[in-house]
Amino acid sequence: MTKVLMVCLGNICRSPLAEGILRSKLDSSKYEIDSAGTSNQHEGSLPDQRSIEVARDYGLDITNQRSRPFVKEDFKRFDHIFVMDTSNYEDILDLAETQEDRNKVSLILDKIFPGENESVPDPYHNSIDGFKQVYEMLEESCSVIAKEWDKS
Ligand code: 4NP
């Protein structure tokens, strides 16, 4: 079983979409996908209504998800940790204790813009269009991930 964690700040806008999208592309008997936030501010909450709506427009139901904070044990539990932006990257690396932990962490947009240090913009204060743009970026990155892994 390969275990994948998607991480953003609140775990209500971007990483729930990333979790739902990647889950829809991979075989659940081989891949476990989860998501978490660097902050615990929204712990226990449903994804943001705008993420729920955009996901639904693309045929995905993400209403089974609830926000939870990232915990240090996640480094041991997961094989890959995809972060949405450079600030999440710094926050997660600050919690890493070993090089093995650090090696698990990467920016999700590296999959489509390798080496460019690109971030998925935080859509929280944006309109629904910002959420659609986030969805499309994540869809592209998750397609690359699924293609790479389906071959291995
Ligand atoms: P997310 O978006 O990190 O994609 O879940 C945000 C959600 C909540 C806040 C900021 C970003 N907030 O400031 O409450």
Side-chain angles (χ1 to χ4, degrees):
M1 182 72 97
T2 301
K3 298 183 180 179
V4 185
L5 185 66
M6 301 295 189
V7 175
C8 62
L9 172 61
N11 190 212
I12 55 168
C13 300
R14 293 165 290 177
S15 58
L17 285 174
E19 176 186 334
I21 293 168
L22 190 62
R23 188 177 281 160
S24 74
K25 294 179 184 295
L26 293 171
D27 179 346
S28 62
S29 67
K30 293 189 197 144
Y31 294 92
E32 179 183 313
I33 325 287
D34 192 10
S35 63
T38 55
S39 139
N40 64 2
Q41 205 189 332
H42 297 275
E43 188 165 5
S45 297
L46 272 164
D48 186 283
Q49 200 54 38
R50 295 162 293 178
S51 285
I52 291 176
E53 267 177 43
V54 168
R56 193 178 287 138
D57 286 347
Y58 286 90
L60 294 182
D61 181 1
I62 59 168
T63 58
N64 60 321
Q65 298 185 38
R66 296 294 179 273
S67 174
R68 72 153 177 100
F70 181 90
V71 290
K72 269 190 180 182
E73 294 74 52
D74 287 324
F75 282 117
K76 302 289 164 272
R77 193 174 141 209
F78 292 93
D79 305 297
H80 302 274
I81 299 170
F82 289 111
V83 296
M84 300 297 123
D85 65 32
T86 52
S87 150
N88 309 147
Y89 186 82
E90 283 164 22
D91 290 343
I92 295 296
L93 278 210
D94 278 349
L95 298 172
E97 283 172 346
T98 65
Q99 192 55 41
E100 194 186 352
D101 290 350
R102 285 188 275 278
N103 290 343
K104 293 180 179 182
V105 188
S106 64
L107 284 163
I108 194 163
L109 290 188
D110 271 3
K111 290 289 172 191
I112 47 175
F113 305 117
E116 293 188 25
N117 229 30
E118 285 285 337
S119 292
V120 179
D122 176 354
Y124 191 60
H125 297 288
N126 208 327
S127 66
I128 191 84
D129 282 345
F131 283 73
K132 283 184 191 150
Q133 283 161 15
V134 163
Y135 188 99
E136 281 160 17
M137 290 174 195
L138 292 174
E139 165 64 31
E140 262 193 78
S141 280
C142 290
S143 291
V144 172
I145 296 169
K147 250 184 228 151
E148 282 175 8
W149 292 355
D150 275 348
K151 284 186 217 140
S152 58

